[in-house]
Amino acid sequence: NKPSLVLQPNWSQIYRGEKVTLTCEIQGGTQWTYEWRPTNRNSPSSSEYKINSATESLSGEYSCRGKREGFSWTPWSNVVNLTVYDDSAPLLLSPVHPVTEGDPVTLSCRDKKQQLLSNVFFYHNDKLLHSDSRGELNISAVSKSDEGFYKCQHSGKDSPRSWMSVRGEEEENI
């Protein structure tokens, strides 16, 4: 009964000062007690991990688990890698979880107000893919060769790199 960790907003690159809520979702039953990595200082056993104003020091890997009275802890959830950035650079929004071969994927380049930027350059493993006036990179059917680091560039400023992992269709049920 592995918990799943849900991120609101649904991307793991955020700016300083933004609000983030991580929610630990466990199927079945109520009355769960939760544990977080790193420790949720404000409410250690709550199903929600709220960050009201992100700072760079909150960057890192987050996961959660739960237990019910009389039972042992569940396994740890999937890991969400949260990265908090300085607010002058563009950000590349990419999927939080691995994507499956054949799925469509959209990567977008945004500013700190969540606005899509225009006149953007996209890079895959530091190789220029193409420039896009709309600030979005659409991959209609992702393949293993699309895996890697992505970044976008706007007005001469690079976004931090985002890793996108692609798993084969046969791995889906693991």
Side-chain angles (χ1 to χ4, degrees):
N1 202 2
K2 190 174 167 180
S4 65
L5 188 50
V6 179
L7 195 56
Q8 186 58 38
N10 189 22
W11 47 79
S12 54
Q13 301 86 8
I14 55 167
Y15 284 118
R16 241 194 336 236
E18 287 192 316
K19 248 191 174 72
V20 186
T21 304
L22 296 114
T23 307
C24 197
E25 293 187 347
I26 304 177
Q27 297 304 310
T30 51
Q31 306 292 305
W32 290 92
T33 298
Y34 298 86
E35 184 182 5
W36 289 88
R37 281 202 298 226
T39 305
N40 184 350
R41 280 192 289 279
N42 300 335
S43 42
S45 57
S46 160
S47 66
E48 283 192 338
Y49 195 131
K50 279 187 185 314
I51 296 171
N52 287 321
S53 179
T55 58
E56 280 92 334
S57 66
L58 291 169
S59 292
E61 296 189 337
Y62 288 77
S63 58
C64 65
R65 63 180 183 167
K67 95 195 266 289
R68 294 208 321 246
E69 193 66 48
F71 292 91
S72 55
W73 287 99
T74 65
W76 286 97
S77 69
N78 53 303
V79 168
V80 166
N81 205 339
L82 202 62
T83 318
V84 183
Y85 296 110
D86 158 24
D87 50 15
S88 63
L91 278 191
L92 178 71
L93 295 195
S94 59
V96 174
H97 303 302
V99 293
T100 304
E101 269 186 312
D103 283 0
V105 173
T106 300
L107 304 177
S108 58
C109 199
R110 70 176 180 112
D111 65 13
K112 68 175 183 193
K113 296 194 185 76
Q114 318 283 335
Q115 305 293 316
L116 266 186
L117 293 165
S118 50
N119 303 322
V120 170
F121 296 96
F122 285 98
Y123 292 84
H124 176 223
N125 295 333
D126 292 327
K127 205 165 87 239
L128 179 63
L129 285 175
H130 71 131
S131 64
D132 191 295
S133 53
R134 269 199 339 272
E136 283 191 328
L137 173 66
N138 293 304
I139 303 171
S140 55
V142 91
S143 68
K144 201 70 181 154
S145 62
D146 293 314
E147 185 167 87
F149 285 105
Y150 286 82
K151 68 178 181 183
C152 62
Q153 189 182 63
H154 179 256
S155 302
K157 283 195 164 183
D158 283 5
S159 72
R161 297 194 311 170
S162 287
W163 173 262
M164 183 172 78
S165 74
V166 178
R167 56 183 183 187
E169 291 177 61
E170 69 285 348
E171 297 171 44
E172 240 188 295
N173 302 325
I174 293 173

